[in-house]
Amino acid sequence: MTMLRSINDIKGYSLKSGGEALGTVSDFNFDDHEWTIRHVVIDTGGWLTGRKVLIPPAEIKKTDWENQDLVVELNKDEVEKSPPLSADEPVSRQYEDRLYSYYGWHPYWVSGIMSGAYTTAVNPSDEEDVRSADEDESQEKPIVRSCKEVIKYRLEGIDGEIGDVEDFIADDQTWQILYLVVSTGRILPGKKVLLAKMWVDRVSWSESKIYVDLTGKKIKESPEFDRSIPVDRDYEERLFEFYGRKGYWL
């Protein structure tokens, strides 16, 4: 059953293969067009010091939410020989090309699968089609962003600053980010609210700010978010009704 989960809560989960721990979740990367998680970022600890390991959600074969384990079918040797990415190095499309080619994963950016769908195992006969589709894309390609970095962004409403982004809420099946968790310290200290990603008007990546087409007064009066209570459809319906917006599920 699909559930909506906090991105921050999944940090620290173990990545395991055949019962062996490969590392722990330290971050997530999402593309800034669809706002879909494209990589789970793994800290491998001491055995691959100074390197990040990226795992697409499609390669997670099982998620044990109770024991906080993500299970994959990769071994340490495969991971160790994968294209290296230093801990402070940004993720470029060139790096993704090398990584996906190494594992034989189907690239998510190929036409037709950008909206959260995932496919694995590219056949050699398909490689020319993949390259052609990639070459035909527009120049405005999505950029992969770190959740850890964007979670620190300021939120701006129609009438000024609202607060700070503290977390994201994502669908645990599609891995699409649906909500921003916002601390409204600029207008009402101590309150946390959810704002749907679809209400984001624009993002200034250079200023580290997210703009929404809502007033501070409206957000101040909105239903409070309690992270100890799961976000269910009842809460979502009340939230969208409060803002007079049509639910994304309709």
Side-chain angles (χ1 to χ4, degrees):
M1 182 178 68
T2 298
M3 289 191 66
L4 304 186
R5 299 185 185 272
S6 156
I7 287 298
N8 282 342
D9 284 352
I10 306 175
K11 291 177 184 177
Y13 276 33
S14 294
L15 183 76
K16 290 187 175 180
S17 178
E20 182 179 26
L22 302 180
T24 58
V25 177
S26 63
D27 195 6
F28 298 85
N29 294 330
F30 69 96
D31 77 74
D32 62 8
H33 280 197
E34 301 288 341
W35 283 55
T36 297
I37 301 295
R38 298 303 180 183
H39 315 123
V40 181
V41 183
I42 304 299
D43 179 354
T44 58
W47 69 280
L48 281 180
T49 305
R51 277 182 58 179
K52 288 188 294 190
V53 170
L54 307 184
I55 304 293
E59 297 307 313
I60 299 172
K61 304 306 179 184
K62 177 185 176 183
T63 303
D64 185 339
W65 299 109
E66 183 176 354
N67 293 309
Q68 301 187 350
D69 291 333
L70 307 181
V71 180
V72 295
E73 295 178 353
L74 304 173
N75 57 53
K76 276 191 173 182
D77 186 57
E78 285 180 294
V79 174
E80 188 170 10
K81 292 178 180 177
S82 66
L85 184 70
S86 64
D88 57 354
E89 185 179 354
V91 180
S92 66
R93 179 53 51 81
Q94 289 74 20
Y95 175 79
E96 288 184 295
D97 280 334
R98 296 197 305 273
L99 182 70
Y100 280 65
S101 176
Y102 169 79
Y103 283 113
W105 296 333
H106 200 299
Y108 66 83
W109 56 89
V110 172
S111 179
I113 59 171
M114 268 298 299
S115 297
Y118 293 94
T119 311
T120 58
V122 179
N123 294 322
S125 60
D126 295 335
E127 288 181 354
E128 185 173 347
D129 292 337
V130 169
R131 284 195 298 270
S132 298
D134 193 42
E135 289 166 1
D136 290 341
E137 284 186 322
S138 73
Q139 294 301 309
E140 190 181 352
K141 296 179 180 179
I143 295 175
V144 174
R145 309 276 181 180
S146 159
C147 282
K148 186 184 295 184
E149 292 182 7
V150 179
I151 279 173
K152 298 181 290 188
Y153 278 25
R154 294 283 178 85
L155 187 85
E156 289 263 354
I158 294 172
D159 48 359
E161 284 193 6
I162 304 298
D164 304 292
V165 178
E166 288 197 347
D167 197 0
F168 292 130
I169 303 294
D171 183 307
D172 67 4
Q173 297 297 311
T174 65
W175 291 85
Q176 188 165 32
I177 294 171
L178 297 177
Y179 295 100
L180 292 71
V181 180
V182 178
S183 173
T184 61
R186 305 288 167 177
I187 56 173
L188 185 63
K191 185 174 183 177
K192 299 184 191 303
V193 299
L194 285 192
L195 295 177
K197 180 268 165 186
M198 63 191 300
W199 302 338
V200 171
D201 185 47
R202 65 186 178 91
V203 180
S204 174
W205 305 108
S206 61
E207 296 178 308
S208 301
K209 288 185 178 181
I210 297 175
Y211 294 83
V212 293
D213 60 345
L214 300 167
T215 65
K217 182 177 184 295
K218 191 68 174 176
I219 293 173
K220 187 176 180 179
E221 297 171 350
S222 68
E224 188 162 6
F225 171 65
D226 182 348
R227 63 179 298 109
S228 67
I229 302 174
V231 179
D232 57 16
R233 184 51 50 83
D234 179 64
Y235 177 87
E236 290 185 288
E237 288 176 347
R238 287 190 291 112
L239 184 67
F240 275 76
E241 182 180 358
F242 172 81
Y243 283 107
R245 305 293 178 96
K246 184 178 180 180
Y248 65 87
W249 57 89
L250 298 176

